[in-house]
Amino acid sequence: MHGPRLTPDILLRAYAEGLFPMAERRDDPTLYWVSPEQRGILPLDSFHVPRRLARTVRSGRFTVTADQAFAQVMQGCAAPAPGREQSWINEEIFRLYTALAASGQAHSLECWREGALVGGLYGVQLGAAFFGESMFSAERDASKVALVHLVERLRRGGFVLLDTQFLTAHLAGFGAIEIARADYLVRLRGAIARAAVWPRD
């Protein structure tokens, strides 16, 4: 992606058209736009929580917060991990999304254990759509617990679309599905035309 430098406003307009940016690797300064032919979404009304995970959520093993450590969550998502040595999150992605967070258009959920950040996720809000960007776990189940809390918040706030971008086996276990790009764009337009509130508590 070359030409004028991207701004948060351009980024939001791209999301409204079904596009999102990625980098080839964390040290590559350029970005490219992605619009998958098959789009991953997680229907909020059929979200499935496995029984063992439900017990973990109820146990209170993790302290879960919202919008308390957005930059640190992004750094956790970009950090090398077993089976994921590279990352599509480069400095430009970091600049853009932390700016969105500062303006209240991007949000994070954090999982803490004994005062340490051990997992979380972040994404972008546009109308009643939430675009999940990335998640990480430094301790078993931390990102999954963050996802459970995210879905609860989105339901409470009146959101109607949770975009996961791609479908993975991990997300399929929660009820995520793939839909054709044309179907996705219809749902997207309907969602961004509606109002939703990101709960502050």
Side-chain angles (χ1 to χ4, degrees):
M1 190 181 301
H2 301 284
R5 197 179 196 199
L6 270 181
T7 65
D9 184 59
I10 291 173
L11 184 56
L12 290 176
R13 293 206 301 268
Y15 271 98
E17 297 298 325
L19 300 163
F20 57 89
M22 297 182 76
E24 287 287 353
R25 56 187 186 276
R26 68 172 59 84
D27 59 352
D28 186 341
T30 60
L31 301 177
Y32 61 93
W33 293 115
V34 182
S35 178
E37 289 187 13
Q38 295 292 316
R39 190 76 167 230
I41 65 168
L42 212 172
L44 294 170
D45 58 357
S46 56
F47 180 66
H48 170 69
V49 182
R51 188 172 301 172
R52 185 188 62 79
L53 179 60
R55 288 198 298 269
T56 300
V57 172
R58 290 195 301 268
S59 74
R61 180 193 305 171
F62 303 109
T63 299
V64 182
T65 59
D67 296 335
Q68 297 300 303
F70 187 93
Q72 294 95 312
V73 168
M74 281 200 75
Q75 290 164 350
C77 292
R84 192 195 69 193
E85 299 308 316
Q86 252 320 326
S87 172
W88 56 269
I89 301 171
N90 64 2
E91 289 185 6
E92 184 71 348
I93 292 282
F94 189 84
R95 177 186 71 83
L96 287 164
Y97 288 82
T98 52
L100 286 178
S103 67
Q105 293 165 304
H107 301 285
S108 62
L109 286 177
E110 305 90 18
C111 282
W112 309 85
R113 185 162 166 91
E114 297 179 355
L117 182 66
V118 294
L121 56 80
Y122 74 96
V124 174
Q125 176 184 354
L126 195 58
F130 189 87
F131 308 86
E133 287 297 314
S134 191
M135 59 176 62
F136 85 99
S137 274
E139 188 171 319
R140 181 181 178 181
D141 289 340
S143 65
K144 296 177 182 177
V145 170
L147 180 60
V148 172
H149 279 261
L150 172 66
V151 170
E152 187 275 332
R153 293 178 74 87
L154 296 183
R155 286 171 169 169
R156 189 153 41 101
F159 288 78
V160 297
L161 177 65
L162 173 51
D163 175 7
T164 67
Q165 299 178 344
F166 304 104
L167 178 65
T168 64
H170 169 71
L171 291 171
F174 291 96
I177 59 173
E178 276 185 333
I179 60 175
R181 181 191 290 141
D183 185 12
Y184 170 77
L185 290 174
V186 171
R187 297 189 190 207
L188 174 63
R189 292 185 188 109
I192 63 178
R194 299 177 59 161
V197 176
W198 177 259
R200 290 298 173 187
D201 56 331

